[in-house]
Amino acid sequence: MIHPDAPVTASSAAAEIVDEGAPITIGPSGTRLDEVVVLDYGGQYSQLIARRVRECGVFSELLPHHVGVEEVRRREPKGLILSGGPASVYAEGAPALERELLELGIPVLGICYGMQLVVLDQGGRVEGAEVGEYGRSTLTVTEPGRLLAGLPLEQPCWMSHRDTVFTAPPGFTALASSTVSPVAALEDRDRNIYGIQFHPEVVHTPFGQDILKTFLGEVCGCAMDWSAASIVEEQIARVREQVGPKKVICGLSGGVDSSVAALLVHRAIGDQLTCVFVDHGMMRKDEGAQVVKTFRDHFRVPLVAVDAEERFLAKLQGVSDPETKRKLIGTEFIRVFEEEAEKLAQGGEGAKFLVQGTLYSDVIESGGGTGTSTIKSHHNVGGLPEDIEFALVEPLRALFKDEVRAVGAELGLPERLVWRQPFPGPGLAIRVVGGEATKARLDLLRDADAILQEEIRSAGLYRELWQSFCVLPDVRTVGVQGDERTYGWVVVIRAVTSDDAMTADWARLPYDLLETIAARMIGELREVNRVVLDITSKPPGTIEWE
Ligand code: XMP
């Protein structure tokens, strides 16, 4: 599905990019933070490795493998991890190991493909095995060495490889084998080079985190005191330095990214920041009021709240095509935002900086944190104009989503906002399906959605779901209520679990809960006489209906 408001991003040529994606290495007291670099050879779990390292209390960045030795050296990491990857080390064009990476004077841990690269380079034997080893396997430790010290001699581990290490290179000690791999872990203690064939970062390797801790603490000597919250102070200092006395504007959507970014910047520069919240009338029940209450009343953040419902409804009149809806909403959003920015500039100096809730995953997607900076394309605020002339302030660009939540909690953001499920920029308009998003239909959907959210929250399931919402198709069905025949609207319940929205599974909500929800919707909403459940996963379905 194309989301036309998604690509409305400022081109890097048009936007003056200030943050060059410099490594986050300065701690609150001006000290250097210990950092471990993960070089990404294309493995599906590479991001997860960086996250697990951070969970151990060590700041970690994921860089594409081709950044080169100098880039790694520049970051002065305390250790280096080489990730897994989909290629065979013998495949044409497969990423090779730059030998100098092993000569930086810092410990190196190769994982899966990363280990095979090391073995191949150092003169061991790697070959394509007859059978690959995929999924659960058993690791048998023959010599714990430094890396596996203190762990059970027999333990489950998760494998995903065809090439297999048959012999460790000279100078290396084989530490363990697995069901299929003669050498599943090895080390050269003197040169501080380590390798494991299995994936320590996935939950199916129960001692994986212990192995990472040993590598980070014992081997690399990292302090292990980093936390997402510890970067608050650092970012505050950085924002102050970046913007000086200038004015800053922030498009606030009420989503967790823009909320945390706004709060952090407000901590840094106080009333130099103005937030603009555009209520397009497609929000969920009471959402606008909640954002205003939280930011203006509670945090005392200068906030311009624009009630633009009528404008947006007028634009949507007679429109039923989903992509047209998105485009109209995206464009109108930009207009309102620009008008507000102009109003703020009248009679004084306009804002020079724009706060964006860019996350680390956006940075990785746009080039791996190697100096690239693009305006976030997932457009929580609905998309921004191409010729925008702001410099970007991106205080979250080093953080993963769960870390942003931790920072939000640290800054005192209410639990409800910290844990808010993702919500699409065009809002409820793309959930009024197959027809025009009129005020009446949006209100009905809003009421149904409020019942769903209330029940899911009180069942304690809200955080477990990636998204839960209602869809209102342009369909009426016959029912019987009391002694009367009815002809009412159908409400669809959509609830999914997911890690990243790329794939999703329909959530197995308890039947009793579903019954309560359906009974409430039909009882409390006069026009609704039927409730159905969407049991489509993604793929083949998408999460939204439009
Ligand atoms: P789909 O429906 O493509 O959605 O599986 C994946 C994720 O993207 C969200 N989504 C949008 N977000 N503007 C947005 O800001 C949009 O037009 C849009 N369409 C879908 C959706 O809610 C899910 O989280």
Side-chain angles (χ1 to χ4, degrees), residues 94-349:
L97 180 74
E98 281 181 273
R99 180 168 294 168
E100 279 178 69
L101 288 171
L102 304 182
E103 294 160 0
L104 288 169
I106 53 169
V108 177
L109 171 66
I111 295 176
C112 192
Y113 183 82
M115 160 168 157
Q116 294 168 6
L117 283 179
V118 170
V119 170
L120 190 68
D121 182 78
Q122 297 292 301
R125 187 156 75 93
V126 186
E127 275 169 26
E130 294 235 323
V131 282
E133 193 175 23
Y134 299 101
R136 222 173 287 276
S137 184
T138 299
L139 188 75
T140 306
V141 179
T142 44
E143 158 63 55
R146 201 170 179 195
L147 193 63
L148 305 180
L151 299 181
L153 296 181
E154 196 121 302
Q155 50 177 290
C157 67
W158 189 259
M159 291 284 197
S160 183
H161 66 112
R162 179 167 288 277
D163 282 353
T164 298
V165 176
F166 286 89
T167 319
F172 282 77
T173 307
L175 304 180
S177 60
S178 75
T179 319
V180 170
S181 305
V183 182
L186 46 69
E187 69 183 28
D188 178 341
R189 211 172 160 146
D190 296 337
R191 295 169 61 210
N192 256 334
I193 305 175
Y194 303 78
I196 46 182
Q197 180 60 65
F198 51 93
H199 289 272
E201 67 277 18
V202 303
V203 287
H204 312 291
T205 302
F207 294 96
Q209 198 69 348
D210 296 280
I211 296 170
L212 286 178
K213 271 190 196 142
T214 303
F215 178 71
L216 299 167
E218 305 290 319
V219 178
C220 299
C222 294
M224 303 177 91
D225 56 2
W226 183 85
S227 72
S230 70
I231 88 157
V232 168
E233 291 298 312
E234 186 233 316
Q235 282 303 313
I236 287 176
R238 201 160 155 156
V239 170
R240 280 187 188 142
E241 195 187 335
Q242 185 190 356
V243 308
K246 301 257 167 56
K247 291 222 170 90
V248 179
I249 193 166
C250 172
L252 193 62
S253 70
V256 61
D257 305 345
S258 69
S259 296
V260 174
L263 269 192
L264 224 154
V265 172
H266 187 250
R267 276 274 173 97
I269 55 163
D271 293 358
Q272 278 168 254
L273 171 75
T274 304
C275 290
V276 176
F277 169 67
V278 180
D279 186 345
H280 53 17
M282 319 289 152
M283 309 294 264
R284 286 168 292 191
K285 199 161 189 159
D286 301 330
E287 209 159 34
Q290 204 194 349
V291 171
V292 173
K293 194 164 140 239
T294 305
F295 284 86
R296 185 188 286 159
D297 304 344
H298 180 67
F299 288 111
R300 307 258 169 225
V301 177
L303 174 72
V304 178
V306 192
D307 179 358
E309 183 182 32
E310 278 181 19
R311 270 177 83 157
F312 280 86
L313 284 175
K315 285 278 165 203
L316 291 176
Q317 239 172 35
V319 178
S320 57
D321 175 63
E323 301 308 329
T324 313
K325 280 184 199 167
R326 280 195 171 83
K327 244 182 211 134
L328 288 171
I329 293 174
T331 314
E332 195 60 12
F333 185 93
I334 290 164
R335 266 193 207 126
V336 178
F337 190 83
E338 275 177 339
E339 283 171 21
E340 293 308 319
E342 257 164 51
K343 273 191 221 160
L344 285 171
Q346 270 163 19
E349 188 206 348

Side-chain angles (χ1 to χ4, degrees), residues 1 3 5 326 378-380 422-426 430-431 466-467 501 538 542-544:
M1 182 187 286
H3 306 141
D5 58 344
R326 280 195 171 83
H378 93 52
H379 51 75
N380 265 346
F423 187 63
I430 54 163
R431 294 175 181 168
W466 172 263
Q467 274 171 296
K538 173 182 178 176
T542 47
I543 295 176
E544 303 289 345

